[in-house]
Amino acid sequence: MKIAILGGTGSLGTGLAKRWHQAGHEIFIGSRSIESALQATNLLGLDDSRACLNNHAAAMADIACLTVPFAHQASTLESVKLSLANKILIDATVPLVPPKVMRVQLPQDDGCAALMAQKILGDEVRVVSAFQNISAELLQSDHSINCDVLVCGDKRDDRDLVINLISDIGLKGWHAGPLCNSAAAEALTSVLIAINKNHEISHSGIVITGV
Ligand SMILES: NC(=O)c1ccc[n+]([C@@H]2O[C@H](COP(=O)([O-])OP(=O)(O)OC[C@H]3O[C@@H](n4cnc5c(N)ncnc54)[C@H](OP(=O)(O)O)[C@@H]3O)[C@@H](O)[C@H]2O)c1
């Protein structure tokens, strides 16, 4: 598939781009600046033509993945909204509020970042949330990753598509229910950060048992 990574110059974006590129997908790196996007495409061994402004990347792709800090989620989505019409947006946003990132601080009005994204994008874009609990550093590495991915979205077919993309990078994705359930995945990230700190480990993650 043609996949746009919006904010694809950052930690999570480059990690996902690397893995999806290795799996044979066509990647478009979106950024606020072409220079930053070019730096990322060079680092990833992608053609210069894959370096785009966020809006252009969204327009070029079949599906987009948002990987920007929570504070910039809304402004980035407003800037790409029209280019995402009739597409799926995978939202990886975790509503962390620095400096207290070990504390769950979900947005009070909307309940979670994924529902905020859906409200901004409207009915023409189907938001699916995923990747909140996986370490960007692990994705950037060449190691195999022992972490499952919770996938929330209101349409089963959309979740299926995202789960297939997750499986392409060697990970297990789970149907975790409607988009509002993303609150649990988003909250879990602060729990994992607290576990990392308190147990002196770098990349705690989650695996579903009982299979
Ligand atoms: N890091 C992880 O391990 C991890 C894991 C799971 C989920 N997440 C979530 O994934 C998202 C991205 O995390 P990250 O660590 O990859 O973030 P990051 O590296 O700090 O930033 C990602 C990109 O966001 C863009 N950005 C920065 N400031 C911006 C602004 N003012 N307006 C618009 N775009 C801006 C930048 O792209 P340009 O400068 O090129 O525009 C930057 O490269 C976050 O919501 C995070 O909670 C992260």
Side-chain angles (χ1 to χ4, degrees):
M1 294 189 79
K2 293 179 181 172
I3 306 175
I5 320 260
L6 311 175
T9 55
S11 308
L12 185 66
T14 51
L16 288 171
K18 172 185 164 149
R19 299 270 175 164
W20 273 325
H21 173 56
Q22 285 171 344
H25 292 289
E26 280 186 58
I27 304 302
F28 296 87
I29 297 291
S31 169
R32 290 167 298 166
S33 98
I34 284 289
E35 291 73 22
S36 302
L38 278 168
Q39 275 180 8
T41 52
N42 289 341
L43 189 80
L44 291 160
L46 300 174
D47 191 85
D48 285 356
S49 63
R50 303 306 177 83
C52 308
L53 295 177
N54 282 320
N55 192 33
H56 186 217
M60 296 295 286
D62 305 314
I63 185 165
C65 183
L66 181 70
T67 58
V68 300
F70 176 56
H72 313 302
Q73 182 204 33
S75 60
T76 306
L77 288 177
E78 293 286 5
S79 75
V80 298
K81 181 175 174 174
L82 294 178
S83 302
L84 290 177
N86 303 314
K87 297 178 186 176
I88 293 174
L89 175 86
I90 305 171
D91 190 9
T93 309
V94 181
L96 297 178
V97 186
K100 295 191 171 169
V101 294
M102 287 187 285
R103 179 169 299 185
V104 175
Q105 299 181 80
L106 295 174
Q108 286 189 344
D109 288 348
D110 296 292
C112 67
L115 287 177
M116 283 179 66
Q118 187 66 77
K119 188 158 100 177
I120 291 166
L121 294 172
D123 291 342
E124 290 203 354
V125 183
R126 286 114 65 205
V127 176
V128 174
S129 94
F131 298 119
Q132 288 84 3
N133 308 134
I134 194 149
S135 147
E137 268 182 48
L138 285 180
L139 286 166
Q140 289 170 348
S141 77
D142 293 320
H143 301 300
S144 63
I145 303 174
N146 185 25
C147 180
D148 289 352
V149 181
L150 301 179
V151 179
C152 301
D154 290 336
K155 293 198 166 70
R156 188 180 177 94
D157 286 352
D158 293 345
R159 294 197 306 266
D160 265 334
L161 193 148
V162 173
I163 285 171
N164 285 337
L165 288 176
I166 290 166
S167 133
D168 289 343
I169 57 179
L171 299 173
K172 173 73 183 165
W174 294 93
H175 285 277
L179 195 61
C180 59
N181 285 5
S182 180
E186 295 171 24
L188 197 48
T189 303
S190 289
V191 175
L192 294 172
I193 294 171
I195 290 171
N196 286 341
K197 172 112 194 317
N198 289 301
H199 294 267
E200 297 182 2
I201 51 180
S202 358
H203 308 299
S204 61
I206 56 150
V207 173
I208 300 301
T209 63
V211 183

